[in-house]
Amino acid sequence: QEKASTKLFMPGSDTPASAKPVHAGGCICFRPLKLVMCEVCGETFRARVNLVCNMHPRAIYLQDVKECKGCKQTNKQALKEYDLPPGMEEGLKNMDRRNRWDGSN
């Protein structure tokens, strides 16, 4: 007998999930930050393009964007994600530790 294969797709995409990083159980909430570039105005910034998680559809994350920070256009198809350059992500982790409130400040 041959098993039926099931393909998972990312929300709003016709690309199989196997082609994109998906975390255990299909949850996409904790995707890494990316370098987002607007194809309309050329603005680049660290963020994630807002996607709806199938497991947590009401979750909201501060670094998810629905529009360009430069020209404010809202076509998410024109916001492209790229991996952060080496070293840029490490700098973000260090900033996070320095700016974290620990109750003593």
Side-chain angles (χ1 to χ4, degrees):
Q1 286 182 349
E2 188 176 314
K3 282 188 173 183
S5 76
T6 303
K7 289 186 179 181
L8 300 175
F9 292 87
M10 296 295 287
S13 172
D14 56 326
T15 304
S18 59
K20 294 185 178 184
V22 175
H23 298 281
C27 175
I28 61 168
C29 290
F30 298 108
R31 295 173 290 136
L33 281 176
K34 298 287 186 173
L35 184 63
V36 177
M37 184 185 86
C38 176
E39 290 184 327
V40 174
C41 71
E43 180 82 18
T44 59
F45 48 92
R46 286 181 294 237
R48 302 184 317 181
V49 176
N50 179 264
L51 297 174
V52 176
C53 177
N54 288 330
M55 296 183 71
H56 310 100
R58 296 173 64 191
I60 298 171
Y61 294 91
L62 295 175
Q63 299 207 344
D64 284 5
V65 294
K66 294 181 180 182
E67 65 181 25
C68 173
K69 290 185 177 187
C71 67
K72 307 297 184 203
Q73 67 85 15
T74 58
N75 177 7
K76 289 195 294 187
Q77 299 291 67
L79 296 175
K80 301 297 180 188
E81 289 185 335
Y82 298 94
D83 290 335
L84 287 171
M88 193 176 218
E89 191 173 307
E90 187 60 36
L92 291 173
K93 289 177 187 174
N94 290 339
M95 270 180 48
D96 181 47
R97 284 188 214 118
R98 283 192 304 260
N99 296 330
R100 186 175 295 149
W101 185 74
D102 65 3
S104 65
N105 44 351

